[in-house]
C-alpha cells in the first residue's frame, strides 16, 4: 500500500503564498485579504483523514472451466468493510495477462459508505491454459482528493481452459518408434530372457535344476530387466519463441507451457517416469522420475514466472548464442523419449530433433502454430515453419502440428496417425 | 481526536476560519481595520517574508505544471504482453509501400533466407533431394516468374559497376516481393494437389 499527496490543491497554496507575500511586500491589506480564500482551500486539503483500506473483493466467473474461445462473464463485487465512508474508490481488476476483455470494462469507480457494495461485470474470451487473476489495483481518495492511497485487493480466482489428453496413449505420443520399455539384458532381472548350456563359473542359482533332474543336462537361465521408458518434456522458451499471430493472442511460450501441463497429467496418470528440460532465458533440468511429489515439482517449475515469464524477455546481447543445447539431451537423457515443444520459428529445434533422431533417440515435436497470414512477410514465416515440419517428418520424427483453435488431443491423434 | 495529525488539522482549520472572519470583519466594518495596526514596520522582515513565500511557491509550481495525479488511470486493465508475429523482420522489408534502400548485409541476409526457403519448399513439394532442388534453382525451372527465378539463382560475383549496384539497391524490395509470392504460390499449388 502506498499513500501519496496529490497536487490538486497546490494551485490554491501557490496563489495564497503569492498574494500574501506580495501583499506583505507592498503593505497592501487588500492583497492580504485576497489570500484568505486560497488559504482556506489549501487548509481544507489537509483536514480530511486518509482513506482506510477496508475493502473486500469477490470475483466470480459464469464458467470457471470454459472451452477455448468461449465468452466468460466476470462479475466483481467490492465491499467497504470498514466503518468510514470511502468517497472515491477507483478499481482496475487484475485480468489475467493472456486474456483480453471483449465486452464491458475491467475498470470501475464508486463511493462506498460503511458496509456498501458495488458490482460490475465484464467479459473475457477464454484461451487455452490456466489463467490466474491478479490482485485488483485500487486507488482510494479522500473527500478533498488531496490524498490517494494505492493498494491491491486480492482474491483467488482461476479460469482453467483445459484441453486434456484423455484417449491418446503415451505410446502414440512419445514412444512411437521405440516402445514404452527399456530392456537391460544383465542376467539379473526378473523377466525370463534366454536358456543356454552351462558354462563353468555360472552362479548356481541360475542353473535350471528341473531340467537337470529331467534330462541330466546342465543349462543356465538368463534373466533381464525391463523398465518403463522415461519421457522428457523439453520446452523451447527462447526469446525467438515469444511470438503470437496477433496482438490479442497468447504467445507460443504460453501455449508450450499449456501443452506441457496437459502432457504431464497424461504421463502422471500412466505413472510413467517424466522429466523436464526448459530452454529459455535460463535452463532448468529435472531428471525423469515417478511419484506425485515429483510431478508436483515439475508443475511448479512450469508455473515459475522467473523461469518462464509471460512477458517477453529482453533480446539476447549480440554475440550470445540462442541455440537449443543438444549436449545435455544426449548425455543426461540418452534413454528418454524426447517431447520437444517448440513453435519451430527457427532452425535450431529442427537441427536438434534431427540429430537426436539420427542418434536413435525417440523424438516427438509438438508445435503450437502461431504464424499469421496477414502479410507477405508473415506468410513466408508460416511457409518456413511448414518446411521445417516437412523436414522433421522426412527424418522420422513424429510431428504434432497444433493449431490452438482446435483441441490438443485432436492434433495429437492426427499427428500420431500420420 | 487523539491523533496528533488530527489535532493539528483542527487547529489549522480553526485558525483559518478565525482569519477569514477577521478579514471579513475588516471589510464590512472599516473602523475595526483602523483599530488593527500592522505589527511590524521593518521592511526587511516584509521582504524576507516575501522571499520565503515566493521560494515555496516556486518549488510547488513544477508539481502543478507536471501533474501526475492520473498515474493510476494509465495502468492498462488488460495488459496482454505485446509480442510480434513471426516474420515481422521480413514484413518490414517486403510489405513496405515506399521505396526502401537496405544496407548490403541486410540484402544479403534477405536473399539468402528466400533462397533457403525456396530450396526447402521445392524439396517438400516435389519430394526431391536438396541437390535436385538446387539444380532447379540454378536453371530457374521452379517458377514461371523470371524475376523471382533470377533473384534466388546463385549468381557469379558482381562486376561491381555503379549502375548495377544502383539498380540492385532500387529494385531489391520489388524483386524480393515477387520471389516471396512465387514461393508461396509453389506451396499453395502443392497444397491444392
Amino acid at each position: 500500500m502506498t499513500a501519496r499527496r496529490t497536487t490538486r490543491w497546490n494551485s490554491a497554496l501557490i496563489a495564497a503564498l503569492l498574494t500574501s507575500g506580495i501583499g506583505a511586500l507592498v503593505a497592501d491589506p487588500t492583497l492580504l485579504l485576497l489570500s484568505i480564500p486560497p488559504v482556506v482551500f489549501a487548509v481544507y486539503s489537509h483536514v480530511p483523514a486518509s482513506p482506510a483500506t477496508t475493502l473486500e473483493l469477490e470475483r466470480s466467473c459464469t464458467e470457471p472451466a470454459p472451452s477455448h474461445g468461449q465468452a466468460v462473464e466476470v462479475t466483481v463485487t467490492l465491499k467497504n468493510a470498514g466503518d468510514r465512508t470511502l468517497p472515491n474508490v477507483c478499481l482496475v481488476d487484475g485480468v489475467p495477462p493472456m486474456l483480453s476483455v471483449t465486452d464491458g470494462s475491467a475498470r470501475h469507480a464508486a463511493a462506498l459508505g460503511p458496509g456498501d457494495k458495488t458490482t460490475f461485470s465484464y467479459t473475457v474470451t477464454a484461451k487455452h491454459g490456466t489463467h490466474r487473476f491478479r490482485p485488483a489495483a485500487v486507488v482510494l481518495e479522500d473527500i478533498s482528493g488531496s490524498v490517494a492511497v494505492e493498494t491491491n485487493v486480492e482474491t483467488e480466482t482461476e479460469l482453467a481452459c483445459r484441453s486434456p489428453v484423455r484417449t491418446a496413449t503415451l505410446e502414440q505420443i512419445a514412444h512411437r518408434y521405440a516402445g514404452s520399455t527399456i530392456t537391460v539384458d544383465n542376467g539379473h532381472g526378473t523377466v525370463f530372457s534366454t536358456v543356454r548350456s552351462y558354462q563353468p563359473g555360472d552362479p548356481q542359482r541360475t542353473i535350471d535344476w528341473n531340467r537337470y533332474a529331467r534330462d541330466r543336462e546342465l543349462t543356465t537361465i538368463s534373466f533381464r530387466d525391463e523398465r518403463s521408458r522415461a519421457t522428457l518434456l523439453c520446452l523451447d522458451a527462447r526469446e525467438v519463441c515469444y511470438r503470437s499471430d496477433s496482438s490479442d493472442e497468447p504467445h507460443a511460450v504460453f501455449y508450450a507451457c499449456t501443452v506441457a501441463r496437459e502432457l504431464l497429467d497424461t504421463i502422471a496418470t500412466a505413472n510413467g517416469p517424466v522429466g523436464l528440460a526448459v530452454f529459455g532465458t535460463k535452463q532448468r533440468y529435472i531428471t525423469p522420475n515417478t511419484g506425485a511429489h515429483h510431478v508436483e515439482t515439475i508443475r511448479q517449475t512450469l508455473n515459475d514466472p522467473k523461469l518462464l515469464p509471460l512477458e517477453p524477455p529482453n533480446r539476447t546481447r549480440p554475440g550470445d548464442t540462442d541455440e537449443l543445447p543438444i549436449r545435455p539431451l544426449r548425455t543426461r537423457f540418452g534413454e528418454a523419449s524426447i517431447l520437444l515443444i517448440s513453435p519451430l520459428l527457427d532452425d535450431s529445434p529442427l537441427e536438434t530433433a534431427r540429430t537426436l533422431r539420427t542418434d536413435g533417440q525417440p523424438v516427438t515435436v509438438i508445435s503450437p502454430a502461431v504464424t499469421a497470414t496477414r502479410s507477405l512477410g508473415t506468410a513466408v514465416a508460416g511457409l518456413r515453419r511448414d518446411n521445417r515440419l516437412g523436414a522433421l517428418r522426412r527424418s522420422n520424427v513424429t510431428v504434432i502440428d497444433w493449431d490452438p483453435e482446435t483441441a490438443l488431443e485432436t492434433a495429437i491423434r492426427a499427428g500420431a496417425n500420420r | 481526536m487523539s491523533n496528533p495529525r488530527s489535532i493539528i488539522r483542527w487547529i489549522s482549520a480553526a485558525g483559518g476560519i478565525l482569519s477569514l472572519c477577521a478579514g471579513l470583519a475588516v471589510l464590512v466594518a472599516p473602523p475595526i481595520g483602523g483599530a488593527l495596526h500592522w505589527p511590524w514596520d521593518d521592511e526587511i522582515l516584509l521582504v524576507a517574508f516575501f522571499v520565503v513565500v515566493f521560494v515555496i511557491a516556486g518549488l510547488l509550481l513544477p508539481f502543478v505544471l507536471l501533474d501526475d495525479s492520473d498515474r493510476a488511470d494509465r495502468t492498462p486493465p488488460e495488459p496482454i504482453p505485446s509480442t510480434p508475429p513471426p516474420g515481422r523482420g521480413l514484413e518490414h522489408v517486403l510489405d513496405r509501400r515506399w521505396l526502401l534502400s537496405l544496407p548490403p548485409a541486410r540484402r544479403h541476409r534477405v536473399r539468402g533466407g528466400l533462397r533457403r526457403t525456396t530450396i526447402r519448399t521445392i524439396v517438400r513439394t516435389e519430394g526431391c533431394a536438396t541437390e535436385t532442388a538446387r539444380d532447379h534453382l540454378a536453371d530457374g525451372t521452379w517458377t514461371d516468374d523470371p524475376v523471382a527465378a533470377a533473384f534466388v539463382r546463385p549468381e557469379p560475383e558482381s562486376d561491381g559497376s555503379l549502375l548495377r549496384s544502383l539498380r540492385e539497391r532500387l529494385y531489391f524490395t520489388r524483386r524480393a516481393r515477387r520471389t516471396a509470392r512465387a514461393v508461396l504460390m509453389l506451396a499453395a499449388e502443392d497444397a491444392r494437389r
Side-chain angles (χ1 to χ4, degrees):
Chain A
M1 184 187 81
T2 54
R4 61 186 173 87
R5 187 155 281 281
T6 64
T7 56
R8 177 177 290 188
W9 298 103
N10 279 7
S11 310
L13 188 58
I14 289 168
L17 289 168
L18 287 178
T19 48
S20 62
I22 295 167
L25 186 69
V26 300
D28 184 354
T30 316
L31 274 177
L32 280 170
L33 287 171
L34 274 176
S35 72
I36 291 173
V39 165
V40 170
F41 283 119
V43 169
Y44 163 69
S45 72
H46 288 77
V47 171
S50 294
T53 52
T54 50
L55 292 167
E56 289 174 1
L57 187 81
E58 282 176 27
R59 194 188 287 117
S60 62
C61 302
T62 49
E63 180 56 73
S67 53
H68 179 80
Q70 186 179 344
V72 178
E73 189 178 340
V74 182
T75 304
V76 180
T77 303
L78 191 68
K79 181 185 177 187
N80 177 9
D83 53 3
R84 281 165 53 188
T85 298
L86 298 173
N88 189 4
V89 182
C90 300
L91 177 135
V92 180
D93 198 20
V95 182
M98 291 295 156
L99 297 182
S100 55
V101 175
T102 50
D103 191 24
S105 172
R107 297 178 180 211
H108 190 66
L112 294 175
D116 281 0
K117 288 180 182 177
T118 180
T119 301
F120 67 99
S121 299
Y122 59 91
T123 305
V124 293
T125 304
K127 309 281 181 195
H128 286 295
T130 302
H131 306 271
R132 285 187 186 82
F133 282 77
R134 296 169 306 155
V138 178
V139 179
L140 305 165
E141 285 188 350
D142 63 2
I143 195 148
S144 70
S146 60
V147 174
V149 176
E150 293 174 13
T151 187
N152 290 329
V153 189
E154 204 159 357
T155 182
E156 289 277 324
T157 315
E158 199 173 85
L159 207 62
C161 180
R162 298 276 317 268
S163 186
V165 182
R166 291 198 182 96
T167 56
T169 61
L170 196 55
E171 283 69 31
Q172 287 175 313
I173 303 165
H175 311 313
R176 194 176 171 195
Y177 290 106
S180 57
T181 53
I182 297 172
T183 302
V184 183
D185 205 352
N186 54 8
H188 307 302
T190 53
V191 181
F192 173 77
S193 177
T194 53
V195 179
R196 59 173 172 76
S197 298
Y198 172 79
Q199 288 175 359
D202 283 347
Q204 281 191 9
R205 62 183 173 80
T206 60
I207 295 171
D208 186 352
W209 293 110
N210 290 333
R211 185 163 181 176
Y212 179 74
R214 194 173 62 243
D215 303 336
R216 290 289 164 190
E217 186 186 354
L218 273 175
T219 52
T220 301
I221 302 171
S222 179
F223 292 90
R224 60 186 159 84
D225 253 348
E226 271 192 358
R227 58 174 184 262
S228 297
R229 184 179 288 276
T231 308
L232 186 74
L233 298 166
C234 289
L235 249 79
D236 184 4
R238 295 167 299 141
E239 192 274 334
V240 72
C241 302
Y242 281 84
R243 299 288 183 274
S244 57
D245 57 1
S246 69
S247 59
D248 59 347
E249 289 294 327
H251 49 67
V253 175
F254 180 79
Y255 280 136
C257 290
T258 303
V259 172
R261 282 191 202 98
E262 298 298 352
L263 291 178
L264 178 66
D265 285 355
T266 305
I267 298 165
T269 306
N271 204 25
V274 59
L276 179 72
V278 177
F279 305 113
T281 49
K282 295 174 189 170
Q283 291 176 16
R284 181 79 56 87
Y285 301 98
I286 298 176
T287 309
N289 206 338
T290 53
H293 179 72
H294 178 73
V295 169
E296 189 54 35
T297 304
I298 295 179
R299 200 170 278 133
Q300 283 175 6
T301 307
L302 289 170
N303 290 335
D304 183 358
K306 287 180 184 159
L307 183 67
L308 293 160
L310 289 176
E311 292 283 340
N314 294 328
R315 290 193 72 85
T316 48
R317 288 168 295 177
D320 283 0
T321 55
D322 195 21
E323 303 286 315
L324 276 182
I326 197 166
R327 181 188 282 266
L329 297 178
R330 271 174 156 169
T331 54
R332 293 181 60 173
F333 310 106
E335 287 184 344
S337 291
I338 306 287
L339 276 177
L340 177 59
I341 308 166
S342 168
L344 293 173
L345 298 179
D346 65 345
D347 284 346
S348 185
L350 169 69
E351 297 307 327
T352 301
R354 284 206 293 204
T355 308
L356 291 171
R357 193 72 196 101
T358 308
D359 290 352
Q361 205 161 348
V363 182
T364 299
V365 174
I366 303 177
S367 181
V370 292
T371 51
T373 51
R374 68 178 195 187
S375 68
L376 206 52
T378 54
V380 171
L383 176 63
R384 285 174 176 169
R385 179 177 171 275
D386 289 346
N387 289 342
R388 289 184 192 111
L389 292 171
L392 284 170
R393 288 188 181 112
R394 285 195 301 279
S395 305
N396 282 335
V397 173
T398 307
V399 177
I400 294 164
D401 179 12
W402 179 45
D403 176 4
E405 292 302 314
T406 62
L408 177 62
E409 179 144 33
T410 310
I412 288 175
R413 299 197 77 85
N417 295 332
R418 192 160 172 143
Chain B
M1 283 295 285
S2 58
N3 186 354
R5 284 178 65 89
S6 297
I7 295 167
I8 293 167
R9 273 193 209 105
W10 281 109
I11 290 171
S12 305
I17 292 163
L18 283 176
S19 303
L20 178 68
C21 293
L24 290 173
V26 169
L27 276 179
V28 294
I32 296 174
L36 292 172
H37 294 287
W38 189 248
W40 302 287
D41 291 330
D42 190 349
E43 286 189 354
I44 294 171
L45 193 67
L46 298 179
V47 170
F49 177 71
F50 170 75
V51 169
V52 168
V53 297
F54 194 79
V55 167
I56 295 171
L59 289 172
L60 284 172
L61 203 61
F63 291 101
V64 177
L65 296 175
L66 307 170
D67 193 357
D68 66 342
S69 59
D70 291 336
R71 193 171 52 178
D73 295 340
R74 288 200 290 270
T75 309
E78 314 90 26
I80 287 188
S82 174
T83 45
R88 167 68 68 83
L90 199 57
E91 190 179 47
H92 283 164
V93 176
L94 299 180
D95 297 283
R96 278 182 192 239
R97 291 188 178 170
W98 57 87
L99 198 64
L100 174 74
S101 178
L102 293 169
R106 183 94 187 270
R107 289 205 304 269
H108 183 74
R109 260 204 320 275
V110 171
R111 189 194 294 268
L114 282 173
R115 192 173 284 147
R116 272 195 303 278
T117 306
T118 310
I119 290 170
R120 286 180 179 180
T121 309
I122 295 170
V123 168
R124 182 166 65 90
T125 54
E126 297 188 5
C128 62
T130 307
E131 282 311 311
T132 314
R134 282 188 207 283
D135 291 343
H136 283 313
L137 209 71
D139 56 28
T141 51
W142 65 276
T143 178
D144 296 333
D145 187 342
V147 174
F151 188 79
V152 290
R153 183 179 290 136
E155 285 183 67
E157 286 294 309
S158 166
D159 60 4
S161 75
L162 190 65
L163 188 67
R164 186 186 167 87
S165 172
L166 196 66
R167 276 196 60 188
E168 163 75 14
R169 206 174 257 271
L170 285 176
Y171 290 110
F172 180 83
T173 310
R174 190 190 297 177
R175 295 171 70 203
R177 208 177 288 142
R178 291 269 294 263
T179 307
R181 284 204 188 98
V183 185
L184 287 169
M185 193 177 288
L186 186 67
E189 279 171 6
D190 177 65
R192 276 198 293 271
R193 279 203 292 266

